[in-house]
Structure formats: C-alpha cells, structure tokens
Amino acid sequence: MSHRKSFFIHRILLSILSLSFIFGAVEPTLAERVDSGVPGMIFEQNVPITMTDGVRLRVNIYRPEKAGHYPVLMSMGPYGKDSRMDSVPAYSASWARLIAKYPDLCKKSSCRYLRFEEADPERWVPQGYVVIDADSRGAGSSPGMLDPFSPREIDDYATLITWAAHQTWSSGKVGLIGTSYQAINQWMVAARQPEGLAAILPWDGAFDYYREIAFYGGILNPAWKFWWDHQVVPDQNGNGESPLKNIVNGQRTTGEALPAELLKQNRVDPVESWVSHPYDGAFYHERTPDGSRITVPLLCVANWEDWSTVGYTAAASKSKWLRIETGDHLTPFYSEESFELQQRFFDHFLKGAKNGWDKEPPASVQVRQPDGTFWKADTAWPLPETRWTRYYLDAGDGEMSPDKVDQLATEKSYPAMGNGLTFKTKPLTEDMEFTGPVALKLRVRSSTSDMDIFAALHLIDPEGREITFTGNTDPHVPVDQGFLRVSRRAVDPAKSTSYDSYHAQIKTEPMTPGQLYEVDVNFAWPTSVVVPKGYQLAISIQGKDWQYPPNAKVVPGKDYELPLSTNPGLFFAAHPNRDSALYGGTNTVATGVGQASYLLLPLIPSRH
C-alpha cells in the first residue's frame, strides 16, 4: 500500500472515530451497581445520561438503600469521578495538607469515594441525601469535546440537574456543592435556571471569567497552563497515558485509548483561547453568568487570597449569605465545622428543616491577625461601618499616611524588572483593623508605550519581618495583591465604585512615553487584617511578578509551615505575549499636590 493511500485511510478512520466520540456512538463501560462497602449506601457507577445533542455523559450515583424520595447534591467536573483523591499525583500536596490538618478525616469515612474538590458521599448519604458526581463532557468516562466552562458544558450541567430532579428516588430538589471548578460552574448553571435546582453552595469560585480567571487587570494569567496540563488533560476521555485508576477495577478511568492527534482535536486549551481573545467580548460573556438570573438561595464561601465576593454581589437571590475565610485550597472545605455549615444550609433549603438558618447573619468574615484569626458577623458586604481611608504615598520619603494629603509634589523612578518601590506607614500607635476591598490610585509614567503594575500589600512586624498568611494556593502570601496593564486603564464609571474600578478591557490605549497618567489598580480580592500597635503596613509597586527575595525575612502563617515559595498565589505573568522590551522600561510613580497617589483601605472602627 502506498504511503499516500495509507495516509488517507488513516485520516478517514480518525474522522469516523472523532465523530463517534463527539456524538456518543462509542460507549464507555456500561453502568453497573457496585458493592459500596458502606452499609446502607447504594453505589451505581457510570450511569449514562443523554444530553440534548445525543451525547451520553456518565455519572456516579450514591444513594440511601432505604426506599424514599431524597434531595440530591450534585457536582460536575473534569478531574475524574472514579479515582480517589489520595491516588492522583497532581493532588498529592493537597492531600498531604488535608491529612496533616485533619488526621482523623478517614476515620469518619473510608475516604474511598473522596474526590478532589467534591463532597464525600459517605458523609452525606447517611444524612438522607443522594450524591451525584458527573464526569463533564470529554473527561473521564464521558465522551465528547473537552472544553472547560464552555456554554456546551453548562448546557450539559443543566440537563443533568433536571434529569436528577425527575428520578424515582429524588425529592425533586437538587443542590450544588463543590469548591473551585465545582463552584465556578455552579454560578454559570444557576443563571440557566434549570428545573429542579433549589440551592447552590459555591465554595471559593470565580464569577467573572475574564477578570477573575483569564486576565488580572488586563494581564494574561498563564498559570492556568499548569492546571490544564497536570489536572485536566490527564483525565481526558481516551487518554491512554492517564495515571488515574478506577477505584472499582483498577483500570484506567479514561476509557478506550485514542490516538494523540485525535485527543488534541477533542480538547480546547483555555490559555490558547485567551491569547486569541485578548479583550472582553462575546467569548467571555458566554462564560460569565448574568447575575440577575441567579435567584436560587445561595451560600457563597470566599477566600481572602483567591476568588471572592463578585458572585455574591452580582446574584439577584433574595436568600443569600456570604462567608469569607482564610486557609488553603482544600482543608477549610472538608473541616467538620464546614460540613455542619453545609448540612444546615442544605437541610433548610432542600428538606425544609426549621433549623434557624434563615436567622444566620448575611455576612460572616474570618479576620486575620499575626497570631491567628477570629470570626465576626455583620448585616451586609462591604461591612456597613467601613471608613474608606486614603493613605497618601510620598515618593520623597517612601512613607504613606492619611496626613500626607498636602505634601509637595515629587516622583520616583524604578527599573520595571527590578524590585520597584515600597511605601510604608509609620509604626501604628494603636491596633487597627482593615476588612474589605482595597484599591490603589496612582499617577504613573513610563519610558515605553506600556507598563504593567504589580502591587502587593504587606504587614511588617516591629523587627522588620513580613508577616505572611496561609493562602488558597500558597502557604506564604502577603496581605493582598493587585494588577494592572496601563494600556487597559479605561474605566467604566457606570459599573465602578470608589473602592472598585471596573476596567472595560475592550481595547488597548498605548501610553505616550514620558506622559503622566492617572490609573486605578484593582486588588484581586478583598482583604482582612488586624495591624497591631507597633506594626506597619507597606505597599510595594513594581513591573514584574511579585516575588519574595531569596533572603526574605518572613514569619509563616500559623496553620502550618512550608518552605517559602517565590511566587505567592495563582498568578504568573511570564508568557511569550509579554514583550520584555515593552514592559521592561523605566517606570515612575508621582505623588503630592496635583498628582496624588494613594492606597484606599477599608478601616473598621474599634468597637471598644
């Protein structure tokens, strides 16, 4: 057979196989009831459910053995519904932290069915719930195109919710639970208002796809490439090299192996999509929910160092609660306190339990201190007693203070790829709490036609050491971080507040080298910190990813100690589309009368 003929036959076979997977003609393992090993719990694996285009996704169902009609808790994602979290290499660090924090976790459950970022069915089924874990389209045992957060994926989720509401063992009420990915898609599907959806509990989930996921302050976030390569692609349906193993038979969870070329055709790399869609527009609008259509009861749990309050604020739900915590990516979600909180919420809205949930305060926040944390409750977010306080920067002496409103105009320059500038308060004369959104107003110029601003807010103890905190994705994080690409500085005033500038992100406006510009730098998340007497706050401003220097003097977070990392948090600007010449010039910050630059902080008055 000639090489040319062989090539065309191969292409035809690939096309047939591709179509079969897109339309669901090639079936994964048939559904079966498996001995769960848990008294009173039925486990049905790989149950096929037909989507609106004919593709059949696969779900695992865990339900009480006793006949009845039970509310459903559901999660859907690309991480593998059939593998134990402790057996997946990509989650080894998260698992180690989880078990270190809660060594008795697997005494309350076998942990056999514990999935990354999802609820443990062994804890929920005895409480009278059906738990459903779904492999999203193109992941695990579900065939099709792997395209995270796409409209098609959210259509599938809505179909699954309505299907679950109509099953004989269902009460007709479905709640959504999960953290991170399994929280982001809760916001998205809730806006579809599927039949049967009765409550959502998005735990640490982004809302604005452009501003909270793809671009921070207009700067591309390629850190997601690691997530894609190490967490999602290994579980792609048809991946013959996947390390994920089925908890039941030990076989690969991704079904029949497909050729590498076909696997690539069957997935959409999100970072590549963002590079080809640099501005906010239809692509991102399809992946950002319409908050006015989110009306179900919700409990939004946010994190001071990751996804935050945007969904809570946008949602039109009349019954909604906000809880902002500190801690790493997984351990808060699986704590005993959190399980009890989750159960009270769902018992109230899915079972009608009169357990006092409706009397819960609308907002609860975990306030951070150098030596620990404490919880406080309030009636709204931002906290009603907030006093928005301007700390004016002084380029002359490197200080910042509310009293520097009338200082002389001055400015200071720095190499963009250097360590930048730092402005500090004097040691405080009394304890002060700052809880809420943070903003930075700057007057800047550059020697080039663009500049990136990376800002980090720090807490400094009397010995000059930085106090770090346990962050969602890093064990050592500063108080807060902000980002802005100055060519994306345009603000939409109709969508902005004094503490939150909404950048339109629809075009690039180059800078004129040497010209002074007024810009608003948004911080990625709100913050909360008590600055004790004798301590200082500091704001650093530079033109590259903020990193701890090799000889940094830091005091680690209280929860646990891990080696100091260089880049705190889930953000890295290093990407080929970031021109080192364009963003590596000399930058200048101007301060003083007529060109004031200031940090806006949410001061909470003392209640003593």
Side-chain angles (χ1 to χ4, degrees):
M1 183 183 294
S2 71
H3 175 76
R4 182 179 177 83
K5 185 181 236 182
S6 173
F7 173 80
F8 281 116
I9 290 175
H10 178 65
R11 293 300 301 167
I12 291 170
L13 288 174
L14 282 179
S15 298
I16 293 172
L17 193 53
S18 179
L19 286 172
S20 68
F21 262 77
I22 290 172
F23 294 106
V26 174
E27 286 297 331
T29 306
L30 293 176
E32 59 178 329
R33 180 177 292 190
V34 179
D35 180 8
S36 70
V38 179
M41 186 174 84
I42 293 173
F43 173 30
E44 295 173 288
Q45 189 178 40
N46 281 327
V47 176
I49 303 175
T50 303
M51 301 296 102
T52 56
D53 63 350
V55 170
R56 291 200 281 185
L57 303 191
R58 296 292 174 138
V59 307
N60 287 350
I61 301 174
Y62 308 85
R63 55 189 178 89
E65 189 173 40
K66 182 180 180 180
H69 301 288
Y70 301 97
V72 177
L73 297 180
M74 183 180 288
S75 297
M76 183 184 80
Y79 300 144
K81 63 176 174 51
D82 295 309
S83 322
R84 289 174 58 123
M85 190 191 340
D86 60 351
S87 69
V88 180
Y91 310 137
S92 58
S94 295
W95 178 257
R97 287 194 290 269
L98 182 61
I99 293 303
K101 186 70 180 281
Y102 305 121
D104 293 336
L105 181 71
C106 295
K107 294 179 181 179
K108 301 177 183 297
S109 156
S110 71
C111 291
R112 182 187 184 195
Y113 304 105
L114 194 60
R115 305 290 179 267
F116 186 64
E117 301 181 348
E118 298 185 6
D120 185 351
E122 283 189 68
R123 302 295 306 276
W124 285 97
V125 170
Q127 306 303 322
Y129 286 89
V130 174
V131 176
I132 298 180
D133 292 341
D135 278 333
S136 57
R137 181 177 295 239
S141 56
S142 292
M145 184 66 69
L146 180 60
D147 189 3
F149 304 122
S150 64
R152 176 68 261 180
E153 182 176 282
I154 304 308
D155 286 345
D156 293 342
Y157 205 175
T159 300
L160 291 175
I161 291 167
T162 300
W163 175 89
H166 284 277
Q167 300 311 297
T168 56
W169 32 255
S170 173
S171 69
K173 291 187 175 182
V174 179
L176 306 182
I177 188 171
T179 183
S180 194
Y181 193 105
Q182 278 77 216
I184 298 169
N185 61 15
Q186 288 185 49
W187 293 119
M188 300 171 81
V189 75
R192 302 292 184 92
Q193 300 183 345
E195 179 187 354
L197 184 60
I200 63 173
L201 205 165
W203 196 290
D204 190 19
F207 185 87
D208 188 319
Y209 191 80
Y210 184 92
R211 292 162 183 81
E212 292 189 283
I213 295 179
F215 289 82
Y216 284 20
I219 306 173
L220 178 73
N221 184 7
W224 284 86
K225 185 63 176 173
F226 182 89
W227 164 82
W228 175 249
D229 290 340
H230 294 273
Q231 290 183 238
V232 181
V233 171
D235 189 50
Q236 183 181 1
N237 181 255
N239 186 347
E241 303 299 323
S242 174
L244 280 67
K245 303 299 181 183
N246 192 305
I247 55 172
V248 175
N249 57 26
Q251 300 299 309
R252 196 176 57 246
T253 63
T254 51
E256 181 181 349
L258 297 177
E261 183 180 351
L262 183 54
L263 282 173
K264 189 172 183 179
Q265 292 176 10
N266 277 358
R267 62 178 181 248
V268 179
D269 185 318
V271 177
E272 290 180 3
S273 297
W274 304 342
V275 171
S276 61
H277 297 87
Y279 303 115
D280 195 10
F283 175 85
Y284 298 100
H285 296 168
E286 288 182 334
R287 292 159 176 78
T288 298
D290 178 353
S292 68
R293 291 186 51 78
I294 300 177
T295 58
V296 295
L298 68 89
L299 168 58
C300 171
V301 180
N303 189 294
W304 293 125
E305 198 271 329
D306 202 14
W307 295 313
S308 56
T309 60
V310 178
Y312 171 82
T313 303
S317 303
K318 293 182 179 179
S319 298
K320 63 178 183 177
W321 288 262
L322 174 66
R323 182 179 173 91
I324 313 179
E325 63 184 8
T326 189
D328 68 78
H329 187 66
L330 282 186
T331 55
F333 180 74
Y334 290 109
S335 74
E336 195 65 25
E337 176 193 12
S338 296
F339 178 77
E340 294 172 0
L341 179 84
Q342 295 159 8
Q343 186 180 353
R344 284 187 62 228
F345 173 77
F346 283 125
D347 280 356
H348 182 76
F349 287 107
L350 302 188
K351 292 184 174 182
K354 298 186 183 302
N355 56 12
W357 180 268
D358 53 327
K359 303 297 192 300
E360 280 287 314
S364 298
V365 297
Q366 188 175 14
V367 181
R368 299 180 297 186
Q369 303 179 106
D371 59 351
T373 66
F374 64 90
W375 283 93
K376 62 191 290 186
D378 219 315
T379 58
W381 178 262
L383 304 183
E385 66 268 36
T386 304
R387 293 181 184 172
W388 301 103
T389 305
R390 295 181 178 184
Y391 277 71
Y392 291 92
L393 311 186
D394 187 343
D397 59 15
E399 292 186 355
M400 62 176 179
S401 167
D403 300 328
K404 286 183 170 287
V405 62
D406 295 322
Q407 86 262 24
L408 294 177
T410 187
E411 59 184 49
K412 192 167 186 178
S413 300
Y414 60 94
M417 294 297 110
N419 293 327
L421 306 178
T422 298
F423 301 86
K424 296 181 180 180
T425 65
K426 290 183 180 297
L428 299 193
T429 58
E430 61 179 342
D431 293 358
M432 299 179 74
E433 177 191 339
F434 300 96
T435 297
V438 177
L440 180 63
K441 172 82 74 175
L442 292 177
R443 270 70 175 188
V444 298
R445 60 167 55 95
S446 174
S447 64
T448 69
S449 60
D450 206 352
M451 65 181 286
D452 284 343
I453 297 172
F454 295 81
L457 183 61
H458 313 276
L459 177 61
I460 310 298
D461 74 6
E463 285 72 45
R465 301 173 301 175
E466 178 172 357
I467 305 297
T468 64
F469 298 93
T470 302
N472 184 287
T473 57
D474 195 279
H476 302 280
V477 297
V479 176
D480 208 346
Q481 296 182 76
F483 311 89
L484 179 68
R485 175 155 290 174
V486 176
S487 61
R488 307 288 192 88
R489 62 190 175 276
V491 169
D492 183 346
K495 297 181 178 180
S496 300
T497 65
S498 61
Y499 54 82
D500 184 16
S501 297
Y502 186 91
H503 294 87
Q505 304 289 1
I506 57 175
K507 63 180 179 179
T508 295
E509 299 177 81
M511 304 171 71
T512 299
Q515 182 173 320
L516 197 64
Y517 293 88
E518 177 183 319
V519 298
D520 297 281
V521 181
N522 281 352
F523 280 69
W525 316 279
T527 196
S528 183
V529 65
V530 171
V531 183
K533 179 181 178 180
Y535 285 61
Q536 297 168 278
L537 278 177
I539 184 75
S540 61
I541 300 166
Q542 58 189 41
K544 63 178 182 177
D545 285 321
W546 190 84
Q547 297 179 324
Y548 290 109
N551 59 347
K553 298 178 180 179
V554 302
V555 179
K558 185 180 179 183
D559 286 347
Y560 53 84
E561 296 187 14
L562 289 174
L564 182 67
S565 58
T566 54
N567 274 77
L570 186 63
F571 185 90
F572 305 94
H575 189 271
N577 80 329
R578 189 169 186 259
D579 186 335
S580 58
L582 181 60
Y583 298 103
T586 298
N587 299 338
T588 301
V589 173
T591 65
V593 175
Q595 53 185 32
S597 294
Y598 59 83
L599 178 68
L600 185 68
L601 290 175
L603 175 63
I604 305 301
S606 173
R607 295 182 178 180
H608 296 305

